[in-house]
Amino acid sequence: MSDKISDILICFCPDCVSRGAGKIKELFQTSLIKHNLSNDVNIIETGCMGTCDLGPVLTIYPEGYVYIKIKPEDVEELVTEHFLNNRPVSRLMLPDTFGKSLIKKIDIPFHRKQMKVIMENCGVIDPGNIEEYFATGGYETLAKILLEKSPEELIETLKRSGLRDREGGGFPSWQKWQYVLEAQDDPKYIIVNAEEGDPGVFISRALLESDPHRILEGMITAAFAIGAVQGYIYCRNEYPLAIIRIKRAVEQAREYGMIGENIFNSGFSFDVEIRRGAGSFVAGEETAVISVIEGLRGEPISKPEFPATSGLWKKPTLIHNVETIANLTTIFSKGASWFSSLGTNSSKGTKIFALSGAIRNQGLIEVPFGITLRELVYDFGGGMKPGKNFLAVQLGGPSGGCFTSQHFDIKIDYEFLQEQGITLGSGGVIVLDDSSCLVDLARYFLEFTVTESCGKCLPCRVGLRKMLEILNRITNGEGELEDLNRLESLGSKIKALSLCNFG
Amino acid sequence: MADNQQFDNILYRKLGKVIEEKKGLKNPLIEILHSAQKIFGFLPEEVLNYISEKLDLPLSKLYGVITFYSKFSCQPHGKYLINICTGTSCYFGGSQQLIGRLEKELGIKLGETTANGLFTLSSLRCLGVCSQSPALVINNDTYGCVDSIEKIREIISRYKL
């Protein structure tokens, strides 16, 4: 926010940009100058506002009105009506659903029903400006921690909070910290992994683009707790904007002394480097991301050598994905008991889901664990697109599973998913309509794993290809009953004999 | 020919500078390959020889890394690289149909380059704009909801030799 009278927050995520947000911003600038308003109205580029299918999206403060699907020809009308004549333009807002014609951000059910904890700044602050992050209380928690807390105290707090890694099966985060802290080797490293690991999810991207300093603050906190001197942020090459924003954030943090020698005069020193990927999904796997940063083929390393004892360059390494790291500052500022009051018994806190597919509302939502599929599809997704009938929800990407309407009311958490034998992946929710075929979906994910498999383990490299051949036969209508047994037997063997979860 | 030689020299000097800058980092190979591909457009054999010498790494190691990652290419591609997203949402949003339409429109198959060197057709896994399936990216410009032949033609017409 600025000291000007009004702020136009314009969503500058790749989704809105590809829908023309850049042009809209330019037009606003020209029009504001023309009407002599550029001293009163500020234009701020923000990260993802979450309502991806409504772009380009604007929020105008102080009122908080949300304008959607803005076209170049709408800009002049918005400037003259909204700012000069003080008449908000209801035609460019969400259609009236509850007796209101002027829609503010808090009125939109998609936003109102969410609980934005780690996404609180997404679409609200300018991610390119560290001072906006300061204004939200940014880096205060870090300062307190570095000057007043010990690593043991931090691990204790994290343990009580119940935070589990926001990927795969949800390993307890504090345990990783404990292992790395106890490891008797130097130096120690921390890796923040922005590879989503499943196609159809863009959570890491949105967090890095929208609130990069939150990721840095969490990362420095974790580094302090485990005694790491150097950190790496691994980002997919397909996310150029995220790379630009996080690089800029690192530079700013270095300028202000949050990265470098003797941070806040605490005696703790830490540095961060950004490493790009080159198109490989297997890097979502912990040990594979180590190989990528080491400049090698992104192949997983055989366990039981855990990264916590022998990770990057064979040194103790803590690896979290972006969403896990984004939780840290909130936990240490609001406290473990506040955090553990959210969610379910087995899964504390909130989770971001990426909604897409045959539903009306697509985008990112953040809700406490324990949400039901019905809420995901209908309350947030807004129900099926006109003319589409519900078939299933695909949850968790290739290592996840499909649910039909019989599972609509089960609360989603790590425990439930474990019972089902699947993982949450990174939180992708893809709603399929009845024009899709579930066997085809399985075939798609198999084809994905076949092409993305790093090829190190024979069962994964060859076995998945055999399974794909069988499924291709089935989708061509040439399947035989025995194929089902073959698939099951291959599947369980591949899973047992491969190094990482990809197999 | 002399002009070409001179142009090449400039590119090699550029790459040499990048290597000097990044040599100090731990294992900078992937970062350097990214820069080399950006400078030359692809990774020709001579460039790989050059990198291998400068970094004192065997060529086999370079090839091992290059062939693993889909982003690196040893073949030149057209002026504009069209990448069609085949992430889950796009797959169910019609990316296969989009590929078929583009192949027909451009008269080439996936992985090929048009005769005039303008377009190369390729695919990748997930651009992260899942609300706009099917999506594609041309060099650095992302386009969503490319669900009709008219839209394809309109987008293609923006790119010229």
Side-chain angles (χ1 to χ4, degrees):
Chain A
M1 306 282 148
S2 66
D3 48 8
K4 296 189 178 180
I5 296 165
S6 292
D7 290 307
I8 302 176
L9 271 53
I10 176 159
C11 179
F12 245 64
C13 74
D15 203 318
C16 281
V17 169
S18 76
R19 292 170 192 256
K23 182 80 186 155
I24 302 292
K25 185 190 168 194
E26 262 173 45
L27 291 169
F28 263 110
Q29 279 167 331
T30 327
S31 177
L32 289 173
I33 292 170
K34 188 173 106 189
H35 294 287
N36 215 5
L37 284 168
S38 44
N39 285 327
D40 304 321
V41 183
N42 201 27
I43 303 177
I44 299 167
E45 286 179 20
T46 73
C48 185
M49 294 188 178
T51 46
C52 297
D53 57 325
L54 300 178
V57 191
L58 311 173
T59 316
I60 298 185
Y61 285 103
E63 301 91 343
Y65 289 126
V66 177
Y67 292 111
I68 59 166
K69 297 186 180 175
I70 305 300
K71 295 187 192 67
E73 57 269 27
D74 299 329
V75 173
E76 189 60 26
E77 180 184 351
L78 271 175
V79 171
T80 48
E81 283 298 291
H82 186 106
F83 293 108
L84 284 177
N85 300 331
N86 212 4
R87 281 195 298 246
V89 186
S90 64
R91 155 182 102 73
L92 297 171
M93 296 180 180
L94 259 186
D96 166 28
T97 41
F98 15 68
K100 277 187 182 179
S101 57
L102 299 178
I103 308 296
K104 295 184 178 179
K105 193 168 175 184
I106 46 166
D107 295 326
I108 300 174
F110 185 82
H111 288 297
R112 198 182 48 209
K113 290 182 179 166
Q114 290 187 51
M115 177 159 193
K116 293 194 185 183
V117 176
I118 53 180
M119 290 209 308
E120 61 179 348
N121 293 338
C122 292
V124 180
I125 64 168
D126 174 359
N129 186 349
I130 193 171
E131 287 177 8
E132 294 215 357
Y133 185 64
F134 288 148
T136 68
Y139 290 111
E140 278 173 22
T141 311
L142 178 69
K144 270 193 203 132
I145 286 172
L146 294 192
L147 298 172
E148 294 168 10
K149 301 281 184 196
S150 70
E152 290 75 14
E153 282 175 287
L154 292 176
I155 293 178
E156 184 53 34
T157 305
L158 196 62
K159 185 178 178 181
R160 280 193 294 115
S161 77
L163 178 70
R164 298 172 67 166
D165 272 13
R166 297 301 189 240
E167 60 188 321
F171 195 79
S173 309
W174 72 272
Q175 251 171 19
K176 283 186 173 177
W177 291 28
Q178 185 82 35
Y179 292 147
V180 181
L181 182 69
E182 284 169 357
Q184 298 293 324
D185 201 358
D186 276 322
K188 291 171 181 171
Y189 295 107
I190 174 169
I191 297 174
V192 173
N193 191 356
E195 174 62 73
E196 318 275 3
D198 50 269
V201 184
F202 44 100
I203 296 167
S204 298
R205 191 204 81 196
L207 287 171
L208 280 179
E209 284 171 357
S210 312
D211 200 5
H213 285 288
R214 171 184 295 268
I215 310 305
L216 283 183
E217 187 174 0
M219 184 180 189
I220 303 165
T221 306
F224 172 73
I226 58 160
V229 291
Q230 174 74 44
Y232 292 89
I233 298 174
Y234 169 79
C235 188
R236 298 184 64 204
N237 196 56
E238 288 83 351
Y239 294 169
L241 185 66
I243 294 174
I244 292 169
R245 295 238 170 103
I246 190 70
K247 271 193 173 160
R248 171 120 196 237
V250 169
E251 279 164 26
Q252 289 172 338
R254 193 173 278 129
E255 228 168 81
Y256 279 84
M258 269 80 73
I259 292 176
E261 299 288 317
N262 194 15
I263 301 165
F264 295 132
N265 273 327
S266 64
F268 174 66
S269 303
F270 178 67
D271 215 313
V272 175
E273 206 186 291
I274 316 289
R275 288 283 169 110
R276 273 180 296 172
S280 163
F281 261 96
V282 80
E285 215 278 329
E286 276 201 346
T287 55
V289 74
I290 292 174
S291 304
V292 181
I293 293 177
E294 289 179 352
L296 309 170
R297 293 165 67 90
E299 292 170 352
I301 303 159
S302 54
K303 286 166 179 173
E305 276 195 280
F306 283 106
T309 50
S310 175
L312 195 57
W313 295 297
K314 302 261 176 251
K315 298 292 180 188
T317 306
L318 176 71
I319 307 174
H320 283 311
N321 74 348
V322 174
E323 191 183 346
T324 312
I325 286 281
N327 273 290
L328 297 175
T329 300
T330 314
I331 291 173
F332 292 117
S333 68
K334 294 196 173 172
S337 36
W338 175 83
F339 187 82
S340 63
S341 71
L342 307 173
T344 67
N345 270 339
S346 68
S347 315
K348 303 298 185 190
T350 58
K351 176 79 193 84
I352 303 176
F353 291 96
L355 304 182
S356 63
I359 37 173
R360 285 171 199 259
N361 307 333
Q362 315 197 1
L364 293 183
I365 59 156
E366 182 180 356
V367 286
F369 273 105
I371 188 171
T372 62
L373 285 177
R374 187 186 301 280
E375 288 169 300
L376 281 177
V377 175
Y378 290 96
D379 289 3
F380 293 98
M384 301 299 287
K385 280 182 183 167
K388 306 266 185 183
N389 295 315
F390 178 85
L391 176 70
V393 180
Q394 206 287 327
L395 199 64
S399 315
C402 276
F403 295 96
T404 55
S405 52
Q406 74 181 70
H407 284 103
F408 256 179
D409 292 309
I410 292 170
K411 290 176 187 295
I412 299 169
D413 63 7
Y414 288 117
E415 201 175 20
F416 163 68
L417 295 171
Q418 203 178 349
E419 282 166 15
Q420 303 288 317
I422 65 171
T423 72
L424 189 52
S426 322
V429 177
I430 296 167
V431 180
L432 305 173
D433 66 81
D434 57 9
S435 69
S436 312
C437 163
L438 288 185
V439 182
D440 188 38
L441 176 80
R443 203 199 61 80
Y444 167 76
F445 278 127
L446 258 179
E447 195 217 323
F448 169 80
T449 41
V450 166
T451 49
E452 295 293 329
S453 166
C454 77
K456 181 167 179 161
C457 310
L458 184 107
C460 175
R461 186 177 68 229
V462 181
L464 288 175
R465 192 169 288 274
K466 289 289 159 207
M467 285 177 77
L468 181 62
E469 282 168 14
I470 296 175
L471 269 181
N472 277 337
R473 247 192 353 248
I474 296 177
T475 46
N476 286 337
E478 296 157 15
E480 38 190 278
L481 206 58
E482 184 54 24
D483 279 344
L484 297 177
N485 292 331
R486 288 190 192 117
L487 282 175
E488 203 174 335
S489 141
L490 267 170
S492 56
K493 279 173 192 146
I494 293 169
K495 196 170 175 184
L497 296 173
S498 302
L499 279 176
C500 75
N501 277 337
F502 231 79
Chain B
M1 199 61 207
D3 272 1
N4 264 345
Q5 189 60 43
Q6 214 170 8
F7 184 61
D8 263 10
N9 284 343
I10 295 173
L11 296 186
Y12 274 103
R13 263 209 298 280
K14 233 174 162 178
L15 179 60
K17 219 174 129 201
V18 171
I19 294 178
E20 278 314 307
E21 271 170 27
K22 300 201 168 166
K23 225 175 169 176
L25 301 177
K26 262 187 158 175
N27 304 50
L29 179 59
I30 292 180
E31 287 292 312
I32 287 173
L33 290 173
H34 270 302
S35 303
Q37 181 150 313
K38 201 170 171 193
I39 292 168
F40 289 89
F42 69 112
L43 298 169
E45 203 181 327
E46 307 83 66
V47 170
L48 295 179
N49 281 328
Y50 180 84
I51 297 174
S52 125
E53 244 168 63
K54 286 272 174 185
L55 290 179
D56 201 17
L57 282 175
L59 206 52
S60 59
K61 176 137 185 202
L62 263 68
Y63 275 113
V65 169
I66 291 164
T67 51
F68 184 83
Y69 296 100
S70 57
K71 170 83 179 134
F72 297 132
S73 167
C74 294
Q75 300 298 324
H77 58 66
K79 188 172 173 190
Y80 300 106
L81 178 64
I82 305 178
N83 259 314
I84 298 134
C85 179
T86 55
T88 319
S89 193
C90 283
Y91 181 81
F92 285 99
S95 63
Q96 296 308 309
Q97 199 180 15
L98 175 59
I99 291 173
R101 282 172 169 164
L102 269 166
E103 285 180 337
K104 208 169 156 201
E105 191 64 23
L106 298 173
I108 50 172
K109 291 270 162 219
L110 208 61
E112 294 176 353
T113 302
T114 50
N116 61 3
L118 192 58
F119 293 111
T120 298
L121 210 51
S122 179
S123 68
L124 54 66
R125 294 285 182 195
C126 204
L127 288 165
V129 288
C130 309
S131 78
Q132 295 191 67
S133 61
L136 58 83
V137 58
I138 303 183
N139 289 1
N140 289 319
D141 309 327
T142 306
Y143 298 93
C145 305
V146 193
D147 48 11
S148 70
I149 191 74
E150 291 74 27
K151 200 155 179 187
I152 290 173
R153 285 186 185 141
E154 194 270 315
I155 293 170
I156 296 287
S157 69
R158 299 183 198 183
Y159 296 88
K160 305 211 161 67
L161 268 175

